[in-house]
Amino acid sequence: MTTPTTRTARFDRGSWARPGPETVRPGVHRIPLPLPDDGLRAVNVYALEGLTEGLVLIDGGWSIPESRKALEDALTDLGHDLGAITHVLVTHIHRDHYTQAVELRRLLGSRVYLGAGERPGLELLGELRTDEPTGSLQTLRRAGAHELAERVAAMYDGDFDATVWEAPDRWLKAEELRFGDTRLTVVPTPGHTQGHVVYLDRARGLLFSGDHVLPHITPSIGFELGGPALPLGDYLDSLHLMTTLADASLLPAHGPVGDSVHARVGELLAHHDDRLAETLAALGGRTRTAHDVAGDLGWTRRRVAFADLGPFDQMLAVNETAAHLDVLAARGRAGRTQTDGVDRYTAPTAG
């Protein structure tokens, strides 16, 4: 679940998702693509033009007819067609970023790039061949939420489409990509997923941040197959990494363009500090599971009660609570024991 942070909006929160291209800089255009029945509403892809190689896209969108039509229409407005797309640089493996990139390669021969850290998860997906959030279901069971895990699993019909989960043409590491005069620095930012990367255009002062840094919300953590042991710890480290780079304009995957990556990163770090404190307070002097603790926290910017969330959002809430409890345990601020595959946490007593 993406959780809110306190930020005063200077704009209509929904206006960024309206269809059509927005020119961010000469030759750089933000194109929102629809996400039907998803609270995020849309995903931004960015088209870079004026390159000898044709159009380069940052992220591909979700492989559904509505998304492809919106992309075609936006490119038409910019004087291009789909055939101009030669490269798709994907920030991470989630369906709303990756699957249409694979479809564009099938249609056009475009080359698809993806962070090397996503390879284990993609290979595991190919072995399991399921759209079930298997890793998150495992976290639910570790959190003592077995009944919720069964409810979420029952939501999936087993209709898995392997064709949109093919491997990329190139696995990326920390490196520089060059397209004509445009240079993009690939920065690995594990956390949201273990292979998430952002793309930094130093010359124009732009950061294509994917889901790593978002203007309104924080990304879900560890929502993937075969995730790392401490995804929130990785995410916080990746946020701190952003502060070591020159500040840039924020070009996120969800939400409007922002003025300062550093300012938003500061808000996100403060949010997680607050959330860790809330989680520790909810733990209290008892020994509790992540499911127990999640039930005592508020969710979304409206502080909705856990019981009022749907099953999928409850899963994300429990997963995020487990991630925060694991960081508290790693920092010595909580103890953790496991019995019958269920983790239980205890706050250390004073003194």
Side-chain angles (χ1 to χ4, degrees), residues 72-328:
E72 287 183 300
D73 289 347
L75 291 181
T76 297
D77 289 346
L78 295 171
H80 302 287
D81 58 27
L82 284 180
I85 300 170
T86 57
H87 299 76
V88 187
L89 314 182
V90 184
T91 58
H92 63 293
I93 197 65
H94 288 163
R95 70 178 187 179
D96 54 327
H97 298 257
Y98 188 66
T99 57
Q100 187 160 256
V102 175
E103 182 65 19
L104 290 172
R105 178 175 64 187
R106 185 176 297 112
L107 290 170
L108 310 171
S110 309
R111 288 177 56 81
V112 177
Y113 294 58
L114 185 66
E118 301 290 43
R119 189 168 193 160
L122 186 60
E123 291 177 348
L124 186 56
L125 182 64
E127 294 173 13
L128 296 175
R129 300 181 69 82
T130 178
D131 286 325
E132 282 188 5
T134 305
S136 293
L137 294 177
Q138 291 172 349
T139 300
L140 284 183
R141 298 182 181 103
R142 181 171 68 86
H146 294 84
E147 187 271 337
L148 176 58
E150 295 307 312
R151 281 195 289 144
V152 173
M155 295 165 58
Y156 293 83
D157 58 13
D159 186 19
F160 177 73
D161 181 5
T163 63
V164 295
W165 295 109
E166 296 170 353
D169 297 283
R170 180 170 169 182
W171 295 105
L172 297 173
K173 57 185 185 301
E175 59 184 285
E176 185 174 85
L177 304 175
R178 184 166 182 170
F179 302 98
D181 292 331
T182 297
R183 298 187 181 187
L184 297 173
T185 301
V186 182
V187 183
T189 50
H192 179 55
T193 66
Q194 58 189 324
H196 194 290
V197 298
V198 300
Y199 299 96
L200 176 62
D201 184 335
R202 297 179 189 273
R204 286 186 278 207
L206 304 174
L207 182 78
F208 301 93
S209 66
D211 282 5
H212 179 52
V213 183
L214 298 173
H216 296 154
I217 54 179
T218 67
S220 58
I221 301 297
F223 186 60
E224 61 179 323
L225 290 171
L230 200 65
L232 180 57
D234 290 344
Y235 178 67
L236 296 176
D237 288 344
S238 295
L239 285 179
H240 283 292
L241 176 62
M242 295 295 95
T243 68
T244 70
L245 305 174
D247 200 7
S249 295
L250 174 64
L251 276 60
H254 307 284
V257 171
D259 296 330
S260 169
V261 172
H262 285 184
R264 183 56 182 155
V265 165
E267 294 173 348
L268 289 168
L269 289 170
H271 164 75
H272 281 288
D273 283 344
D274 292 343
R275 201 63 172 173
L276 287 165
E278 288 182 54
T279 303
L280 187 61
L283 184 59
R286 297 162 286 178
T287 297
R288 313 186 75 196
T289 66
H291 186 210
D292 296 332
V293 175
D296 286 345
L297 297 171
W299 298 96
T300 81
R301 65 179 179 272
R302 295 178 297 276
R303 307 296 291 182
V304 174
F306 179 83
D308 294 333
L309 300 173
F312 187 84
D313 285 339
Q314 285 188 344
M315 174 185 69
L316 295 180
V318 172
N319 276 227
E320 288 198 8
T321 303
H324 283 84
L325 286 166
D326 286 340
V327 166
L328 289 170

Side-chain angles (χ1 to χ4, degrees), residues 16-41:
W16 71 271
R18 293 172 187 157
E22 174 195 1
T23 299
V24 178
R25 295 279 196 284
V28 179
H29 310 280
R30 183 184 68 86
I31 302 174
L33 302 180
L35 299 176
D37 301 318
D38 190 305
L40 292 174
R41 303 188 61 189

